[in-house]
Amino acid sequence: MPGNGPHIRRLFEPRSVAVIGASHTPGKIGHTILENIIEGGYGGKIYPVNPKGGEILGRPVYARAADVPTEIDLAVTCVPAKYALGAVQDLADRGTKYNLVITSGFSEVGNLEEERQLVGYATERGMRILGPNIFGMFSASASLDATFGPGGIRHGSVAIITQSGALGLAMIGKTAVENVGISAMISVGNKADIDEADLLRYLMEDANTRTILMYIEGVREGEELLEVLRETTGRKPVVAIKSGRSKRGAVAAASHTGSLAGSDAIFEAVMRQAGVLRAESVEEAFNLCKFLSETPPPAGRHAVIVTNGGGIGVLATDACEKYDVPLYDDAQTLKEIFSPVTPDFGSTKNPIDLTGQASAEHYRVALDAALTSEKIHSVLALYCETALFDAESLMKMIRRNYARYKERGKPLLFSIFGGADTETSLDTLTKERVPVFGDVYETVACMGGLYSYGRYLQQRRDATDETEIDTAAIDRIVRGARSEKRSFLLAHEGQALMDAIGIPLPRSRVVRNLDEAVQAAEQIGYPLVLKVVSRDILHKSDVGGVALDLEDREEVIDAYQAIMRNCRTRMPQARIQGIEVAEMVASGVELIAGARRDASFGPIVMFGMGGIYVEVLKDVSFRAAPLDRREVLAMMKEIRAYPLLLGVRGEERRDIESVTDAIIRLATIIRHCPEISDIEVNPLVAYEQGHGAKAVDVRVLLTETAGGSTDA
Ligand code: COA
């Protein structure tokens, strides 16, 4: 729900908390929550509510919410589902601001109506609900642990929003082990009212929060979420943990764009576009968050690896390629910086090899050299246990110097690998919040995340490219289709639409008799294509409704008669609106470009290899609209067949600019014409540089209205 930014503050910083269903029995959820609130050091007023009255944990118990003597900023409801509505009504009636509904048994098990009632009652009276079906929330700004987790949450700078309760509870334990400090932890459960977008609006402003970790399973108000995410990532990093693949889009699909969009690919693409770093595992997400909270993104592209082992140096180099960490390779400068600190038989080429004879002192001097040089922007320090140099000495050196290193403001990550002593050193350093890993890949993945966020910030431009479109003409076309109760456009309407948005088409006309066909052919010029136009014939070639490569008047006459004959014999019931006479398109690279309104993320665009193989190859990429040309280009480069556009085997480069232009136009129309739900150009034929791109076939679906038909 938009527009709740200023109010949501009291969710995180309540002045009073009431626990509805606070239990007298230790171990019950209603008891643990009250215990955590008290033990966690919450400084506001605490009101246990339970009809049995008495005292719990030394606090007087109120029989009903109505009896609580002051305003309630936040209620935590943990009564069984059958009493939940009553509890919500009591709270809403007395003007409670926020209510965390812990209770399960609502939409997650199909009880949609009960959930709607609960939220409906609350919303009408201005009470916001988090949940139901949650484990609660923690907010460091109020020292409030209103969860039934293990307690003892370490305060820090990472905010966690989780849709999975079990995973969230487990994360509380894991944050303690990994020494990750938390600024807020929110279980969103069924998201019946408050959702991620609401929470992000607060967290992006919250000074305690430096990084946000999200575990997302499904997205409802995706368009709004993306908008808020874009705003948030401009201020602080957001890491999302990958979750299951959605099949929803595929089910609803009425086009290639739809069926291909149903996959995880959209989530991946739009999250990246919004600057969200996507982690493959909880471990990776924690690493990223920890590190991103401590260190700013690198100021430039020059990363160096400092190692005492050639093997791990090579492993790290491979990983740098995978995670897009740009290794500095100016041999001369590297030599100047590192030769004073590298043994003669070592290497000053990146990776800087201090050799197996290196000592802790060698590392210290080499790291000092790297961190003080203006030419170097980030450092990966790798260590392999050797007989000459134990991990403990390295650990001591790092402990002595890390604070000083950190002041340099450059990303510095350690990877140490070896036996039991190394593991002990790793634990000690982790406890002291030194970014250290046992595995080279993890280390580089983390640095990759930092570079990726840095690049995003650098490239972030508000400008989105949009084009002029003739909305009056589009309205006319749509009205025409609607008047015939259609939810799709016929071929000639699709072409008119292309005209209105400025995507070039092969020249063509729809004719109703042979004379008109001949006349049109003479005007357009040969070679030509003839195609039947009928809302009843979906696969035109199968019924002999298409004739290609017609060279002259005679061939056009023959083809016209043949098409009419074929269609009448093979599909006698089909209503034929006419015959389309079109310019025969020269061959070029066949692409597909589409735009649609995605159920989760709103307007999206798709690009890929087109023609008849699109479903087989599935070589496509997606972006959310609006987007700029740079983003369109990135989207085009993502497909495997991109080199075909650059020209292979002596072929000319294709007109990439015209293709970009077509995609921008599709993005514009899908954003500005709510009547259009799905538009797909296949093939979009790309010619040689300077010769443009043409929409050879276009398929347009309109937003469903009662009584419309989509059987195009
Ligand atoms: N107002 C206030 N208190 C009430 C009440 C009301 N209207 N009705 C009952 N209570 C009290 C009970 O007397 C009891 O207190 P007591 O132990 O001192 O007698 C307390 O509320 C709890 O009720 P109880 O019937 O014992 O329920 P429970 O503790 O077994 O279960 C829930 C309650 C909410 C925990 C349970 O229904 C539930 O939903 N569990 C799943 C929670 C979950 O997993 N959430 C998602 C996590 S990700």
Side-chain angles (χ1 to χ4, degrees), residues 21 23-24 28-29 50-52 78-80 102-104 133-134 165:
S23 169
H24 294 84
K28 275 197 180 181
I29 286 183
N50 184 317
K52 292 180 185 162
C78 36
V79 295
I102 306 287
T103 313
S104 303
N133 186 32
I134 59 171

Side-chain angles (χ1 to χ4, degrees), residues 293-579:
S293 297
E294 300 279 329
T295 324
R301 296 178 45 78
H302 300 166
V304 293
I305 300 171
V306 176
T307 178
N308 69 337
I312 48 166
V314 174
L315 277 178
T317 308
D318 289 349
C320 284
E321 204 170 302
K322 176 168 177 204
Y323 292 104
D324 247 343
V325 174
L327 287 178
Y328 187 35
D329 60 3
D330 180 337
Q332 188 52 37
T333 313
L334 285 166
K335 194 168 171 195
E336 279 161 25
I337 300 170
F338 291 107
S339 60
V341 299
T342 312
D344 290 343
F345 44 91
S347 166
T348 62
K349 291 207 185 86
N350 206 357
I352 315 300
D353 190 353
L354 302 177
T355 79
Q357 295 206 359
S359 65
E361 184 57 12
H362 283 104
Y363 268 94
R364 187 190 65 75
V365 181
L367 293 181
D368 270 328
L371 294 167
T372 44
S373 164
E374 299 221 325
K375 295 275 171 50
I376 291 171
H377 303 120
S378 67
V379 183
L380 290 155
L382 316 180
Y383 163 81
C384 260
E385 196 173 62
T386 66
L388 300 174
F389 166 28
D390 59 291
E392 201 185 334
S393 341
L394 179 75
M395 184 259 287
K396 285 183 177 154
M397 184 286 284
I398 297 173
R399 288 177 78 183
R400 266 197 308 276
N401 292 286
Y402 186 66
R404 195 167 55 80
Y405 289 154
K406 221 178 133 187
E407 277 169 19
R408 296 271 165 202
K410 290 181 189 176
L412 164 64
L413 287 186
F414 295 92
S415 168
I416 66 176
F417 179 71
D421 282 354
T422 310
E423 288 296 316
T424 314
S425 302
L426 205 126
D427 281 351
T428 311
L429 291 171
T430 302
K431 287 205 178 76
E432 298 192 8
R433 303 161 56 122
V434 174
V436 59
F437 304 85
D439 178 69
V440 170
Y441 256 73
E442 266 182 60
T443 324
V444 179
C446 197
M447 186 66 93
L450 208 64
Y451 264 100
S452 148
Y453 184 58
R455 273 192 295 268
Y456 166 76
L457 288 180
Q458 227 172 48
Q459 289 167 357
R460 213 176 134 96
R461 283 195 249 135
D462 286 337
T464 54
D465 288 312
E466 293 220 328
T467 51
E468 291 277 312
I469 52 175
D470 184 348
T471 41
I474 295 168
D475 281 349
R476 269 197 306 279
I477 299 164
V478 170
R479 271 204 308 277
R482 293 277 193 222
S483 70
E484 293 176 15
K485 303 227 176 316
R486 272 184 285 119
S487 296
F488 62 92
L489 300 189
L490 293 174
H492 67 281
E493 294 167 330
Q495 289 164 357
L497 189 81
M498 291 288 103
D499 260 347
I501 61 176
I503 297 181
L505 296 152
R507 277 165 298 158
S508 81
R509 268 178 53 194
V510 175
V511 298
R512 287 174 207 285
N513 56 47
L514 187 55
D515 282 350
E516 277 180 24
V518 172
Q519 205 181 21
E522 299 288 330
Q523 275 168 3
I524 294 170
Y526 303 95
L528 284 170
V529 183
L530 259 56
K531 282 186 236 170
V532 64
V533 180
S534 165
R535 58 178 294 176
D536 303 317
I537 303 175
L538 191 52
H539 301 290
K540 301 181 186 91
S541 329
D542 294 357
V543 295
V546 180
L548 304 173
D549 218 0
L550 310 173
E551 296 281 1
D552 54 32
R553 195 169 183 275
E554 300 310 313
E555 285 189 15
V556 168
I557 295 172
D558 289 349
Y560 184 96
Q561 287 165 339
I563 288 176
M564 293 308 273
R565 205 169 41 244
N566 292 341
C567 295
R568 289 208 176 109
T569 24
R570 293 188 201 160
M571 284 197 78
Q573 77 288 8
R575 286 156 295 177
I576 295 172
Q577 273 89 28
I579 300 273

Side-chain angles (χ1 to χ4, degrees), residues 19-31 33 48-53 56 62-65 77-84 86-87 90 101-106 108 132-136 148 163-169 187 189:
V19 181
I20 316 300
S23 169
H24 294 84
T25 316
K28 275 197 180 181
I29 286 183
H31 188 89
I33 290 181
V49 177
N50 184 317
K52 292 180 185 162
I56 306 175
Y62 297 84
R64 299 174 318 145
T77 300
C78 36
V79 295
K82 58 179 183 244
Y83 304 127
D90 288 350
V101 182
I102 306 287
T103 313
S104 303
F106 294 92
E108 82 282 6
N133 186 32
I134 59 171
F135 65 77
F148 58 85
Q163 197 170 349
S164 157
L167 188 64
L169 285 168
S187 162

Side-chain angles (χ1 to χ4, degrees), residues 606-650:
M606 183 193 79
F607 166 77
M609 284 310 285
I612 54 175
Y613 300 119
V614 57
E615 284 285 5
V616 182
L617 299 176
K618 293 190 168 51
D619 190 13
V620 294
S621 54
F622 298 94
R623 286 294 185 278
L627 73 178
D628 61 19
R629 285 174 182 273
R630 181 188 51 79
E631 197 66 53
V632 173
L633 197 62
M635 172 186 185
M636 288 165 76
K637 284 183 179 165
E638 241 168 55
I639 67 162
R640 292 189 299 279
Y642 179 69
L644 291 181
L645 292 173
L646 297 176
V648 285
R649 299 213 189 146

Side-chain angles (χ1 to χ4, degrees), residues 27 38 53 97 157 159 173 331 367 425 510 525 549 598 684 694:
I38 297 168
K97 292 191 178 64
S157 54
L367 293 181
S425 302
V510 175
D549 218 0
D598 181 73
L684 172 69
K694 280 188 180 172

